[in-house]
Amino acid sequence: MCRMARPRKPLLSTDRIVETARALVDAEGLAAVSTRRLAAELGVSGPSLYNHFRTKDEILEAVADSVSAQVDLSMFEDGRDWRTALHDWAVSYRAAITDHPNIVPVLARGPGRRPAGLRLADAVFGAMVAAGWPPAQATSIGALMRYFVMGSALGSFAGGFVDDESAYDPSDYPHLGQAHLLAERQQKIDERAFETGLRALLDGLAMQYEQLASATQTS
């Protein structure tokens, strides 16, 4: 009996296209993605991509959703209080998008019809309503957290300084004598800034939550 020869390259699949496109975005940015470039990277003809995606935008949407799918949502299901859950989710969310910062502009458009993005939004909103937040405020909390986390991934404060002491002449910048050291400590500084902001944000929400509970008890 004759056996069919195995294909020299793996068969084209949606997952393979998305993984390849994500690697391109990570390495070279959104502009690097085109159907021609993807076809070349995958070793297939351009038209074969259209069996899976109609446009480049659809491919980028799928890449964005693959990043959203990396965000842990278990904290909304395992009994953690709303504040702890929001904190842990924000940390996971930031970790996912800091690994893939070039896709943030697509993520920033909102979830649209992306399944993982919609599950993320649904989990946050549902958890806040279940914790006692009114739906309108639960929506605002979800939006606020999204702005904060995405904003933290768009750039690095510490990375914006150069590793050159002479760039910060004390006569011009009397308080930036150590600024040339920031770049080499970028990750630690950025993570600490994120945690500082996140705690401050959650402290403010906790105060609102207490006020809401008090108002409910007296009404």
Side-chain angles (χ1 to χ4, degrees):
M1 179 183 294
C2 294
R3 295 184 177 180
M4 294 181 62
R6 297 182 64 182
R8 296 180 63 184
K9 291 182 178 294
L11 294 175
L12 193 61
S13 67
T14 297
D15 287 346
R16 189 168 167 238
I17 294 170
V18 171
E19 289 171 4
T20 302
R22 187 172 60 230
L24 276 177
V25 172
D26 288 345
E28 301 178 34
L30 295 172
V33 178
S34 68
T35 53
R36 178 179 297 180
R37 177 73 183 277
L38 277 174
E41 293 285 335
L42 290 161
V44 299
S45 62
S48 63
L49 295 176
Y50 296 114
N51 293 324
H52 301 271
F53 296 100
R54 293 175 297 178
T55 65
K56 168 186 169 178
D57 281 346
E58 282 193 359
I59 295 172
L60 291 177
E61 288 287 315
V63 170
D65 211 39
S66 74
V67 173
S68 293
Q70 296 174 16
V71 181
D72 183 14
L73 299 177
S74 65
M75 64 285 296
F76 298 119
E77 302 170 352
D78 61 11
R80 274 173 261 190
D81 64 272
W82 68 267
R83 176 177 173 146
T84 302
L86 271 185
H87 174 277
D88 296 348
W89 168 76
V91 171
S92 177
Y93 194 6
R94 180 177 182 271
I97 59 180
T98 52
D99 284 343
H100 308 282
N102 291 335
I103 200 64
V104 170
V106 181
L107 286 167
R109 299 172 190 167
R113 298 176 182 273
R114 301 194 296 264
L118 289 169
R119 283 192 292 272
L120 188 154
D122 182 72
V124 174
F125 178 79
M128 295 306 100
V129 171
W133 288 96
Q137 287 173 280
T139 299
S140 296
I141 290 170
L144 170 64
M145 298 298 292
R146 181 168 164 269
Y147 300 152
F148 175 72
V149 176
M150 285 198 180
S152 75
L154 288 175
S156 165
F157 171 80
F161 293 85
V162 297
D163 185 15
D164 179 2
E165 187 174 4
S166 66
Y168 308 106
D169 190 321
S171 63
D172 294 322
Y173 315 107
H175 305 296
L176 295 181
Q178 301 297 308
H180 64 286
L181 301 175
L182 294 176
E184 69 180 43
R185 304 171 184 172
Q186 176 179 335
Q187 182 176 356
K188 182 177 180 179
I189 291 170
D190 289 346
E191 288 179 355
R192 187 170 61 212
F194 177 78
E195 279 291 338
T196 298
L198 182 56
R199 286 196 302 270
L201 187 156
L202 293 173
D203 284 346
L205 287 177
M207 290 177 62
Q208 292 184 35
Y209 190 74
E210 291 173 4
Q211 293 168 0
L212 178 65
S214 296
T216 302
Q217 290 172 2
T218 58
S219 62

